[in-house]
Amino acid sequence: MNTIILATDGSSHSDAAARYLVEGPLLNRDFTVHILHCEPDVTGDVKTFIGQADIDAWHHEESDKAMRSAVDILAAGNVAFECHELTGHAAEKIVEYAAKVNAAVIVMGSHHRSQLLDAVLRSTCGRIVQNAPCPVLLI
């Protein structure tokens, strides 16, 4: 079975990528879509005052919110999927996960920022494209 990574941040751009998977030509074979959401880790100062269980619950809640619309879109299109919550630097974690599962492709929605702004911010999409172990499809 082939694996497609759908990286989502809960935005309308991510939803467009999910709709592309439902309506587009990629799913003409035996695929499972792995929906990924990555929350940044909290700082050491926060960890001093809040227990790990509360931090984990917050990460779970935020990931659930971010993945909810993509899950609904794929479920409505009868597309097989799994959800995965990651914590840390998004581009690094997505690339690591793609390598771990030998992904056929990473699909992402692009926010279409200007080249200057992307250069300043070092976009997540750009970092994934540069380091991915497989093709990356930006929607």
Side-chain angles (χ1 to χ4, degrees):
M1 179 169 302
N2 292 305
T3 300
I4 293 176
I5 303 292
L6 173 62
T8 183
D9 61 3
S11 69
S12 61
H13 305 287
S14 294
D15 291 350
R19 279 192 292 281
Y20 177 82
L21 289 174
V22 170
E23 300 164 0
L26 280 180
L27 294 177
N28 60 0
R29 296 187 291 155
D30 191 18
F31 282 98
T32 297
V33 176
H34 289 234
I35 304 171
L36 303 183
H37 177 259
C38 190
E39 274 295 314
D41 205 0
V42 296
T43 66
D45 292 340
V46 173
K47 289 180 179 182
T48 302
F49 298 104
I50 298 176
Q52 190 62 46
D54 289 333
I55 293 169
D56 292 343
W58 178 77
H59 280 141
H60 176 70
E61 181 180 332
E62 292 301 306
S63 288
D64 184 54
K65 284 190 274 187
M67 291 189 281
R68 188 171 296 128
S69 58
V71 164
D72 291 346
I73 291 165
L74 295 179
N78 294 317
V79 173
F81 65 88
E82 300 174 6
C83 292
H84 302 277
E85 302 171 4
L86 307 175
T87 303
H89 187 265
E92 178 181 304
K93 293 296 182 176
I94 292 166
V95 167
E96 285 175 7
Y97 188 86
K100 176 181 160 187
V101 299
N102 196 26
V105 65
I106 299 171
V107 180
M108 303 176 63
S110 175
H111 288 263
H112 306 295
R113 293 185 187 109
S114 73
Q115 289 180 344
L116 176 62
L117 188 55
D118 271 349
V120 171
L121 297 177
R122 294 229 37 227
S123 76
T124 299
C125 286
R127 284 178 275 171
I128 290 171
V129 167
Q130 288 176 333
N131 298 300
C134 59
V136 178
L137 176 60
L138 299 177
I139 305 297

